[in-house]
Amino acid sequence: MIDKVIFFIIIIIKIFLFPTSQSTDFEVHRNWKAITNSLPISKWYFYSKNKWTLDYPPLFAYMEYILGKLSKFFDPNITNLDSINYDSLVCKTFMRGTVLLGDLFLYFSIKFLSKNINLSFNKFLVLLISILFYAGLVIVDNMHFQYNGILFGLFFVSLGYIAKKKYTHGAVFYAICLCMKHIFIYFAPAYFIFYFQHIIINNIKKGNYKSLMINVINIGLGIYAVLQLTFLPFIVISIQKKNLSQLIQIKDRLFPVQRGLLHTYWAPNFWALYSFADKILYFIHDKLSKKYKFIEKIFDFILKFKDNKDINNKRNTSSIGASENGVSKETGFDIMPDINIKITNIIIVAFIIIYYIKYFCQISNNKTRKIKNRKIMEFIKHCIFSNLIFFNFGYQVHEKAFLNISLLALIYYILLKDNEEEYLIKKKAEIKKYHYFDILT
């Protein structure tokens, strides 16, 4: 009952945030409801008459379609494609109300996860408050406007099933997450290695080939079913038109490489430092190279690694007022070598390999004490590191992607504290036992 009261209080507080000024994402999601309800499905990913084009996977688009259908009972103008920047009181109330429905789902998913990792009720309450009232989530969802509550709710359900060793269910819910928002691809290396280790390697070691085959087939079929149902309408259209334009267009919308290395609002990652270094070098070149010949020779050497070697030929994407001006476009650097998506992917793969080499070397040497929820803690740690690597070195990383790391870190910390407390209780019990034995002898 206490958890329901806490949830109710948090929801009341979030309702008071309804009048806060909405961001561009408010109009983005309103417009997506309009696109999915005003156009045939074949045109969803081709519509480009305004800048709020649909660039989330189809499963999220279906959710927007359903919410758009519901919105017509409250305000038909919500799904009007011509209602640009529409924000009537009814529209704002309905839109923000749909986010609270996501919070309701998030509440049940946290409860499901807590039950499956055997958290005490007090720890469950801590986890519930920590996530539902986490400042980053409140700002991004309830003020800025997004639907991360629904997305992370699905992911927590996946975690809960993995904790209970229901790996097929865990994989299916991860596939659903991925088909809702493609940023969950940051978790893919963690899922792949964890499943490879605990389903394939462990079953081979035990000689349990039947279990291995059953698990692999079930997981494969589960993921295939999610992907097939998600993309089925677009596959049917592609078959009818005898071309892959629908699927290619979805791919281009989900991975808009043309937007460049840096997002409109920078993620504070390695490429932000890289861009800052480029600006410093540009000003050094501009002020000092004419005075000191050796500085000019150094810059001549650095510029050999650039496609555009003429530093005086300034482009729209040059560092002066371009990469930091809030416009998402292809980013060029004046001094430092330009970075494309192939380079970022190579760096990401390299760091993931380094991380897992270190991890497998450690587990082969470690003989540690028995830890409660060891596997799920191990998996969460993999997810955190995988997301950190993508966040720091990925192409076009959104600053809000740090939610993936911070929310998982909250769960990991609570599990860690739970283990420490249990360990101390056992140690105290052992000390009392041996102390009592000493008195008797």
Side-chain angles (χ1 to χ4, degrees):
M1 186 65 183
I2 297 173
D3 58 316
K4 292 180 178 64
V5 172
I6 290 170
F7 175 71
F8 179 74
I9 292 168
I10 291 172
I11 291 298
I12 293 296
I13 294 169
K14 289 183 175 183
I15 288 172
F16 280 108
L17 296 174
F18 275 22
T20 53
S21 60
Q22 67 270 15
S23 71
T24 53
D25 273 359
F26 183 91
E27 175 60 15
V28 167
H29 288 281
R30 189 209 62 79
N31 201 67
W32 289 357
K33 290 174 179 62
I35 288 171
T36 53
N37 279 271
S38 303
L39 300 173
I41 194 169
S42 60
K43 294 182 180 178
W44 285 5
Y45 287 93
F46 285 90
Y47 182 79
S48 58
K49 288 185 179 178
N50 62 44
K51 59 183 177 179
W52 311 127
T53 53
L54 182 59
D55 58 8
Y56 271 29
L59 209 54
F60 195 93
Y62 302 150
M63 184 189 79
E64 294 281 26
Y65 172 78
I66 293 166
L67 293 176
K69 285 291 182 190
L70 291 173
S71 74
K72 291 179 181 180
F73 294 103
F74 300 90
D75 185 349
N77 282 322
I78 293 173
T79 55
N80 186 344
L81 268 176
D82 297 323
S83 301
I84 304 299
N85 295 322
Y86 184 71
D87 62 348
S88 70
L89 180 61
V90 175
C91 172
K92 190 180 286 190
T93 304
F94 173 80
M95 294 276 284
R96 293 204 181 280
T98 59
V99 174
L100 294 187
L101 289 176
D103 287 335
L104 179 63
F105 178 68
L106 185 59
Y107 161 74
F108 285 111
S109 69
I110 293 167
K111 198 168 186 176
F112 176 80
L113 175 61
S114 300
K115 181 182 177 182
N116 284 352
I117 57 180
N118 299 315
L119 279 185
S120 65
F121 185 71
N122 288 339
K123 288 286 190 307
F124 160 62
L125 289 181
V126 172
L127 186 63
L128 184 69
I129 296 167
S130 298
I131 293 176
L132 279 177
F133 214 50
Y134 175 59
L137 204 55
V138 172
I139 291 168
V140 173
D141 274 18
N142 305 103
M143 295 172 69
H144 177 80
F145 196 92
Q146 285 191 6
Y147 290 105
N148 289 296
I150 294 171
L151 301 172
F152 281 104
L154 290 166
F155 180 68
F156 294 158
V157 171
S158 177
L159 283 183
Y161 277 124
I162 290 171
K164 278 294 180 184
K165 299 181 181 178
K166 293 183 177 180
Y167 296 130
T168 302
H169 294 72
V172 166
F173 273 91
Y174 172 64
I176 293 170
C177 285
L178 201 54
C179 290
M180 286 285 283
K181 191 172 183 180
H182 49 303
I183 198 172
F184 280 92
I185 200 169
Y186 292 0
F187 294 92
Y191 270 88
F192 178 78
I193 297 296
F194 183 84
Y195 274 49
F196 184 78
Q197 179 188 359
H198 292 285
I199 292 175
I200 296 177
I201 293 177
N202 285 358
N203 277 315
I204 289 173
K205 282 181 179 178
K206 294 173 185 176
N208 197 348
Y209 297 104
K210 183 180 178 181
S211 175
L212 187 154
M213 290 301 296
I214 290 170
N215 274 289
V216 169
I217 291 169
N218 286 342
I219 290 167
L221 288 174
I223 293 172
Y224 174 78
V226 172
L227 295 174
Q228 185 71 20
L229 289 171
T230 300
F231 290 93
L232 185 61
F234 303 96
I235 293 169
V236 170
I237 294 167
S238 296
I239 292 170
Q240 287 173 346
K241 292 186 175 181
K242 296 180 181 179
N243 63 55
L244 298 175
S245 59
Q246 286 286 328
L247 299 175
I248 291 168
Q249 181 67 8
I250 292 172
K251 185 265 294 179
D252 290 342
R253 283 285 177 87
L254 297 186
F255 303 99
V257 178
Q258 71 279 3
R259 289 186 185 177
L261 177 66
L262 302 173
H263 193 268
T264 305
Y265 302 103
W266 292 8
N269 61 7
F270 177 80
W271 301 122
L273 295 175
Y274 188 89
S275 185
F276 176 71
D278 182 69
K279 296 181 195 311
I280 297 297
L281 289 172
Y282 176 81
F283 284 112
I284 290 172
H285 177 275
D286 190 47
K287 302 296 181 183
L288 300 176
S289 63
K290 292 176 182 178
K291 294 180 182 179
Y292 304 100
K293 289 292 181 184
F294 76 93
I295 291 179
E296 189 171 7
K297 288 180 180 179
I298 291 169
F299 280 101
D300 286 341
F301 174 76
I302 295 171
L303 289 168
K304 288 180 180 177
F305 299 97
K306 284 182 64 63
D307 294 330
N308 181 11
K309 298 178 176 61
D310 184 4
I311 195 169
N312 297 312
N313 182 17
K314 301 298 294 175
R315 296 172 292 171
N316 284 338
T317 55
S318 64
S319 62
I320 301 301
S323 57
E324 76 280 9
N325 67 358
V327 177
S328 193
K329 59 183 177 182
E330 195 170 352
T331 308
F333 299 101
D334 291 306
I335 305 295
M336 303 286 274
D338 293 332
I339 304 297
N340 59 41
I341 196 167
K342 290 180 182 177
I343 293 170
T344 60
N345 289 345
I346 289 167
I347 293 170
I348 287 166
V349 170
F351 274 99
I352 287 171
I353 290 170
I354 291 166
Y355 168 72
Y356 278 109
I357 287 172
K358 184 181 178 184
Y359 165 71
F360 282 111
C361 287
Q362 282 179 336
I363 63 170
S364 61
N365 296 325
N366 275 355
K367 290 183 179 179
T368 55
R369 64 185 173 85
K370 190 175 180 181
I371 295 175
K372 179 185 174 185
N373 289 314
R374 177 194 288 276
K375 281 186 180 180
I376 195 64
M377 286 181 71
E378 202 174 72
F379 177 65
I380 290 171
K381 189 163 73 171
H382 292 341
C383 288
I384 290 170
F385 276 98
S386 178
N387 273 273
L388 277 168
I389 292 167
F390 274 95
F391 183 83
N392 273 292
F393 302 105
Y395 197 86
Q396 259 280 319
V397 175
H398 202 293
E399 76 282 359
K400 299 185 195 79
F402 201 79
L403 280 175
N404 294 10
I405 300 160
S406 54
L407 289 175
L408 282 176
L410 281 172
I411 299 170
Y412 187 82
Y413 178 75
I414 289 168
L415 286 171
L416 196 65
K417 293 298 289 182
D418 193 43
N419 264 295
E420 286 177 2
E421 287 177 14
E422 192 173 90
Y423 178 71
L424 288 172
I425 290 167
K426 285 181 181 178
K427 278 295 178 185
K428 285 179 182 178
E430 286 177 13
I431 291 166
K432 284 181 181 179
K433 178 182 175 183
Y434 288 121
H435 181 64
Y436 179 71
F437 180 76
D438 288 341
I439 292 170
L440 288 177
T441 54

